[in-house]
């Protein structure tokens, strides 16, 4: 029982549980944004018609293929992906790049193999080329 308790109280499990809960809540938020704002906006632009392909299908040897339902899910996926990209991924990437600019560079690229190495390294660990640290370069 003690091992199970330690397993449950490890930081990784708690962090994972929090991430799943926040992710599920965020998923509901994004789906509501798409269903309640983006889709009606598309309907307003297209003259009051919201895209619905549910009735599109074809039949082969008595089997009905509902490709319209697939198209509905595809359009929803594309809209959700666009919302997540433009409202979450792009702003976060911009924020991270702004925060990284203020940090002092601690690594540099090896001129031979382009591997990231410590800024003051004298030899590349990947290709073993000798390097001159920036502090020892002639001015």
């Amino acid at each position: 029982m003690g091992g199970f308790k330690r397993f449950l109280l490890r930081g990784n499990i708690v962090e994972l549980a929090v991430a799943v809960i926040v992710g599920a809540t965020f998923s509901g938020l994004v789906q509501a944004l798409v269903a309640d704002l983006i889709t009606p906006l598309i309907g307003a632009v297209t003259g009051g018609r919201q895209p619905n392909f549910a009735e599109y299908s074809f039949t082969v040897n008595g089997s009905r293929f509902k490709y319209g339902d697939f198209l509905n899910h595809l359009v929803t996926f594309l809209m959700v992906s666009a919302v997540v990209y433009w409202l979450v991924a792009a702003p976060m990437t911009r924020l991270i790049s702004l925060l990284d600019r203020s940090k002092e560079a601690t690594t540099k690229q090896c001129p031979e193999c382009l591997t990231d190495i410590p800024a003051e390294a004298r030899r590349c660990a990947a290709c073993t080329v000798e390097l001159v640290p920036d502090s020892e370069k002639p001015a």
Side-chain angles (χ1 to χ4, degrees), residues 39-95:
T39 303
L41 181 64
I42 292 171
V45 170
T46 60
R49 283 191 36 190
Q50 294 181 3
N52 186 3
F53 307 108
E55 300 301 318
Y56 294 179
S57 65
F58 64 90
T59 305
V60 175
N61 290 334
S63 294
R64 187 167 181 225
F65 293 86
K66 300 177 185 179
Y67 71 92
D69 188 48
F70 172 77
L71 290 176
N72 276 340
H73 287 296
L74 179 64
V75 168
T76 301
F77 170 77
L78 292 174
M79 288 191 308
V80 168
S81 298
V83 166
V84 168
Y85 176 77
W86 290 110
L87 296 182
V88 178
M92 285 302 295
T93 302
R94 176 86 171 124
L95 178 65

Side-chain angles (χ1 to χ4, degrees), residues 3-56:
F4 182 67
K5 182 179 178 182
R6 281 192 305 271
F7 170 75
L8 288 178
L9 296 178
R10 280 187 11 205
N12 295 345
I13 298 297
V14 174
E15 290 171 5
L16 179 61
V18 169
V20 167
I21 292 167
V22 170
T25 305
F26 183 72
S27 172
L29 177 69
V30 171
Q31 288 178 357
L33 175 68
V34 169
D36 298 338
L37 298 175
I38 305 294
T39 303
L41 181 64
I42 292 171
V45 170
T46 60
R49 283 191 36 190
Q50 294 181 3
N52 186 3
F53 307 108
E55 300 301 318
Y56 294 179

